Structures are given as C-alpha cells and as structure tokens.
Amino acid sequence: MLSVAILAAGKGTRMESSLPKVLHKISGKSLLQRVINSCVELNPDQIFVITGHKSKEVQESIPENKKIQFIIQDPQLGTGHAIQVLCRAIKKNEGKLLVLNGDVPLIKPGTLNKLLNLHDSKNADISLITTKKKNPQGYGRVFLKGDFIERIVEEKDCNNQERENLLINAGIYCFNWDNLSKIINTLQSNNNQKEIYLTDTVSLLKNSLSLEVEDNGELQGINNRIQLSKCEENVQNSIKEKHMLNGVTFINKASCSISEEAEISKDVTIEANTHIRGRTKINSNCIIGPNTFIENSNVGFHCEISNSTVYDSQIIDHIKIGPYSHIRPNSKISSHSKIGNFVEIKNSQLEEETKVNHLSYIGDSIIGRSTNIGAGTITANFDGQKKYQTKIGKNSSIGANTVFVAPINLGESVTTGAGSVITKDSKDNSLAISRTKQVNIANWKKKKF
Ligand code: UD1
Ligand code: MG
C-alpha cells in the first residue's frame, strides 16, 4: 500500500507574494500540479494534499482526481505538524507514506521509484533523498553515521561548522507509516524557527536511510523568485534541447519560450522572441517569429508567421501571417492565404487563397476562396448588443475601406466599390457600391479671412 502526502500548506513568505507559493508556475504549470503529476506516475493508492494558507485557492487549482484528498492544516506550525495533522485525520496509518514538499516541483517519477525501492529493500523506517550542493544555502544539512542518518539540522539552526556540510535534505521522504505514527506526536518545536520539523523524525526512528543522488536540477527547492526563475530556465532548456535534437532551429534560444505540450516538426525555424504556448502544433518547414506568440493553435506546413499573435486557431498550409497580425480564437485560415499588416481576425473562416493584406478587422465572418479583401475593410459585427455574421462568396473583390454592416450575405464573384458602407445583401457577379458621387466644382478657392 502506497500513500503520498504533499506538503502545500505554507505561505511561502520568501516569495513576497499574495499568491500561495505552490501556485506559482513553471512553464505554465503550478509547482503543486507538477509534484502531483510526478507522483501520479507511481500509481499510489491515495494522495493527500495538505493545504492551509489560502487553502480554498490551492484546492480549486487542482483538477478533479478521485485519488486526491485534501487535508487542512490550520494553523501551519511546520512540516512535522503537517504530518501530525495527517496522521490524526486518517484512521489507518499503514503501508508506505511518501512525503513530498510541494515546493520541489521538478522531482522525477524515476527518482521517486529509486527511493521506494531502497526503502523496501532495506525495510527502512524512513529513507530520504539527499544530494551534495555546491551552495547548500537554505537547505537542511544531513549528518550520517555509517549507513544511517543521524540527524538533520536546518540552516537556521546550524553552527558555523555544521553549515559547512554540503549534503542536503531534498525534502522527499518515504516512511513506514505505522512506525512514523508512533513517534510523530513527540516532535518538539524547540528550534530557532519555533516550528515542528518533519526532519526531526530521523533521530526518533531507528532505521533512517539516505539515497544520495546527483543534483541535476530536479531537487531544486523553491523558496524565492530567484530559485523559481532557475527552475523555469532548467525546464525551458530541456524543452528546447529536445526540439533541437528533433530538427528545430532556434535563432536566439534564450529569448524564446515553449510549452511542454507543444509539438514542433522538423525544419521549423523559431526566430527570436517567439513564444509557443499551450497545446500548439507547428508542422514542418515553418518560420515562426521573430516577436510572435502562438497559443493552443495548429500551424500547417510551410507557414511564415512574423511579429504576430495567434490564439486558439487553425492555420493550414503555405500561409503567410504578419507582420503585426492578430488572429483571435476560433479562426481558420485555409491554405495559400495571406494575412497581412495590422489585420485582426476573430471567429472567422477564410477559405483557400484568401488575401487580407492591410489594416482590416474581420470578425464572425466566412470568406470564400480566392477572395481579396481590400485595405481597411471592416466587418461591423456588433450592434451594441449582439454579434452578427458577414458572409462573402468566393472570387470576390472587396474595395478598400469597405464597411460591412452585419448581418450581411454577399454572393460569389461580388465586387464592392472602395469606401462603400454595405448594408444590403447582394447576388452573385454583382457590384455593390454605396457612396456619394464625387462633385468637382470649377474655379473654387478657399476664402481668405
Ligand atoms: C524544508 C526542509 C529542509 C529541506 C528543504 C528542501 C523542514 C523542516 N525542512 O525546508 O530540510 O532541505 O525543505 O527543499 O522540513 N509546509 C506545510 N506546512 C507547514 C510548513 C510548510 O505544508 O506548516 C509546506 C510548504 O508549503 C512547502 C513545504 O512544506 O511546500 C516545505 O516548507 P518550507 O518552509 O519551504 O521548508 P524549507 O525551509 O524549504
Ligand atoms: Mg522550501
């Protein structure tokens, strides 16, 4: 029987934030969500998330999962107190209890498995992960006696000599829960922080083991924003390296960010200052960026998107977007189309070979294939209360500065005169024009005052 407890009740004072520490994010996922994702891989029987500070906010951040049970620790008197509260709340303290700090977000399931295996093979009371840090500042120092852990001394309780010890406690423990429950209530808070430390259990339990692992970044604890940024950098580096090995070129890697879920195919070039977020897929031979943001979208083959923003949309193949285009949610731009300078498209479907090259707003529209939308064309889709649709048939030629007052439905091969305000539907092959005729008045001069 394997149970997991995740410690997530603390405020995170050193973050200097109104957001609880475990809700800060690394590459789009909260610290707590990352720890949960890692331990779910171990297929435990139950997961306890211990919350306290802003517990409602923390609990609401976690999607429904039948295995997760929240335990409230209020007030928060330390990591040992958190486990005292858990032991009291749960009747059966049996099997293995894996305790994970909610602020050590990059821990890998493989490393957790190693700990569980060591624990089982040595029939330990407690086994925990340690590592040697060049700069151990802020961590609890682990003191060994032979094969066993003698004690852990928190940084704030260390004397000068103890502080020199580079072997640190990573904040990841496996307990024999039954034996833990027998000593958990004897923990004291007679230390410099006046907290009940979970780390004091090593001296109270008999068989305390250390699993020393190489520090490759996964054991980084997050107590302040410098450490948060370090972890972000680690995650981003590994995401980008994965893509580079798969055939993606980054022109200026450090200025780009890529979500873990993003899929990028071979021979895609990511130019500087480009951010690919959420579930985005970029197919091969695209050039994305510079200065581009794409979220939850699909981009087909051979597309070029520069200096533009794309949200929740489908960009099919051989398409050029930008510079300075904004493709808003629920848009579909079909193959061989071109969306140009200062163009905003929202909730619209553009068929193949459509061109919207300059200074337009196309909202709630369906534009037929091979239609050219002249510069400055606007769909007036909102009457102050409701949004309406604009439909333009294929092979149409929309004059510059046309305003479509929706709802409007134009047939195929329709032309509109430049500067027209179109308020009525028109049939196939027609010209729709609505503007006053130009008058030239001869010999007219401005009066001088
Ligand atoms: C803790 C360890 C330290 C270790 C380090 C690794 C203790 C006493 N110290 O120190 O040895 O090197 O982690 O990162 O455990 N929490 C609660 N309830 C509380 C207090 C804290 O749930 O009453 C939670 C926090 O939300 C956090 C985790 O426990 O997720 C660790 O707490 P934190 O205050 O960050 O401990 P550290 O000082 O980092
Ligand atoms: Mg910490």
Side-chain angles (χ1 to χ4, degrees):
M1 164 109 170
L2 174 64
S3 308
V4 178
I6 302 175
L7 305 183
K11 179 167 183 261
T13 312
R14 292 163 279 183
M15 295 299 278
E16 298 292 342
S17 175
S18 57
L19 189 69
K21 174 166 68 177
V22 292
L23 295 193
H24 281 261
K25 286 183 176 170
I26 294 177
S27 292
K29 288 191 202 96
S30 74
L31 308 187
L32 177 57
Q33 187 62 57
R34 283 179 176 276
V35 176
I36 291 176
N37 291 353
S38 265
C39 77
V40 161
E41 300 275 311
L42 306 174
N43 198 21
D45 298 284
Q46 45 189 358
I47 300 172
F48 305 107
V49 178
I50 304 181
T51 62
H53 174 70
K54 297 200 176 170
S55 63
K56 195 162 170 268
E57 217 176 305
V58 176
Q59 293 184 18
E60 281 170 0
S61 75
I62 301 303
E64 186 77 22
N65 179 330
K66 282 199 186 104
K67 280 189 182 170
I68 295 180
Q69 197 179 322
F70 292 100
I71 306 285
I72 307 254
Q73 182 202 7
D74 189 22
Q76 298 90 45
L77 304 179
T79 49
H81 177 247
I83 297 300
Q84 287 178 343
V85 170
L86 171 73
C87 291
R88 251 174 258 144
I90 302 303
K91 274 197 198 115
K92 286 187 178 168
N93 294 181
E94 59 187 28
K96 285 194 286 283
L97 179 67
L98 181 68
V99 177
L100 306 174
N101 276 4
D103 65 347
V104 184
L106 303 186
I107 184 69
K108 295 199 177 101
T111 311
L112 294 176
N113 254 326
K114 275 189 200 152
L115 182 70
L116 297 179
N117 290 339
L118 172 85
H119 188 86
D120 285 340
S121 68
K122 296 279 162 80
N123 199 13
D125 288 322
I126 170 177
S127 32
L128 56 91
I129 296 181
T130 60
T131 190
K132 288 214 177 74
K133 284 235 179 222
K134 273 187 220 127
N135 177 7
Q137 207 192 343
Y139 291 90
R141 308 298 203 277
V142 178
F143 293 88
L144 300 177
K145 194 172 186 185
D147 286 343
F148 298 102
I149 303 173
E150 188 183 39
R151 63 204 161 98
I152 299 177
V153 185
E154 290 305 301
E155 165 103 10
K156 288 196 175 133
D157 302 305
C158 278
N159 60 33
N160 288 343
Q161 197 196 343
E162 286 167 332
R163 210 166 283 127
E164 298 292 306
N165 182 357
L166 303 183
L167 189 68
I168 64 101
N169 165 30
I172 293 153
Y173 321 79
C174 183
F175 290 96
N176 173 317
W177 198 357
D178 185 27
N179 289 349
L180 171 68
S181 67
K182 287 176 189 149
I183 56 101
I184 192 77
N185 288 322
T186 62
L187 290 175
Q188 305 289 317
S189 58
N190 49 357
N191 51 57
N192 287 339
Q193 301 190 88
K194 301 277 168 281
E195 280 181 16
I196 301 175
Y197 292 159
L198 183 61
T199 45
D200 285 346
T201 55
V202 294
S203 333
L204 298 168
L205 291 164
K206 276 192 205 122
N207 196 358
S208 310
L209 296 180
S210 144
L211 174 69
E212 187 179 331
V213 302
E214 190 110 349
D215 178 24
N216 53 10
E218 72 175 301
L219 302 180
Q220 178 72 52
I222 295 183
N223 293 320
N224 60 40
R225 303 217 198 200
I226 296 173
Q227 291 163 334
L228 182 71
S229 146
K230 232 184 237 169
C231 277
E232 178 72 49
E233 202 179 321
N234 280 347
V235 170
Q236 280 301 314
N237 278 339
S238 70
I239 293 173
K240 288 175 219 165
E241 276 164 21
K242 174 189 85 181
H243 289 299
M244 287 187 273
L245 292 174
N246 285 339
V248 176
T249 295
F250 285 86
I251 300 298
N252 182 331
K253 174 167 84 76
S255 68
C256 298
S257 63
I258 314 287
S259 70
E260 279 169 317
E261 296 80 11
E263 290 176 47
I264 311 180
S265 300
K266 271 184 193 170
D267 292 315
V268 168
T269 298
I270 308 283
E271 295 268 3
N273 198 20
T274 290
H275 306 278
I276 315 271
R277 300 278 167 87
R279 296 198 175 278
T280 291
K281 180 159 201 251
I282 315 268
N283 282 290
S284 58
N285 293 293
C286 289
I287 302 174
I288 311 294
N291 310 318
T292 292
F293 182 99
I294 304 181
E295 186 168 84
N296 295 328
S297 297
N298 256 316
V299 179
F301 303 95
H302 294 277
C303 292
E304 291 179 25
I305 306 180
S306 88
N307 294 278
S308 293
T309 302
V310 180
Y311 288 102
D312 303 295
S313 288
Q314 305 289 319
I315 312 294
I316 316 298
D317 309 327
H318 296 275
I319 288 169
K320 279 193 175 173
I321 293 180
Y324 315 112
S325 306
H326 185 184
I327 314 294
R328 291 171 51 199
N330 204 22
S331 297
K332 180 181 172 194
I333 319 286
S334 305
S335 304
H336 298 278
S337 294
K338 165 101 179 63
I339 310 299
N341 313 257
F342 304 100
V343 169
E344 175 180 352
I345 302 214
K346 185 214 79 174
N347 186 34
S348 293
Q349 188 168 331
L350 279 61
E351 301 296 346
E352 288 81 0
E353 295 171 6
T354 307
K355 290 193 173 68
V356 191
N357 271 332
H358 325 271
L359 300 158
S360 280
Y361 171 60
I362 305 294
D364 307 310
S365 303
I366 298 179
I367 315 278
R369 70 178 295 154
S370 301
T371 283
N372 185 71
I373 306 285
T377 293
I378 301 291
T379 55
N381 59 334
F382 188 48
D383 65 359
Q385 286 185 323
K386 271 179 130 181
K387 304 265 169 79
Y388 298 95
Q389 192 179 57
T390 298
K391 247 175 145 173
I392 303 173
K394 65 182 181 190
N395 297 319
S396 295
S397 180
I398 305 306
N401 256 13
T402 300
V403 176
F404 291 105
V405 182
I408 205 94
N409 193 349
L410 298 196
E412 296 174 0
S413 300
V414 164
T415 303
T416 67
S420 292
V421 177
I422 305 294
T423 53
K424 292 188 200 121
D425 294 353
S426 75
K427 298 244 161 60
D428 295 355
N429 304 309
S430 59
L431 167 69
I433 184 161
S434 83
R435 60 181 191 220
T436 50
K437 283 211 166 119
Q438 182 174 339
V439 177
N440 285 344
I441 301 171
N443 301 321
W444 187 92
K445 262 191 184 166
K446 229 179 189 177
K447 277 184 189 153
K448 280 189 185 144
F449 294 100

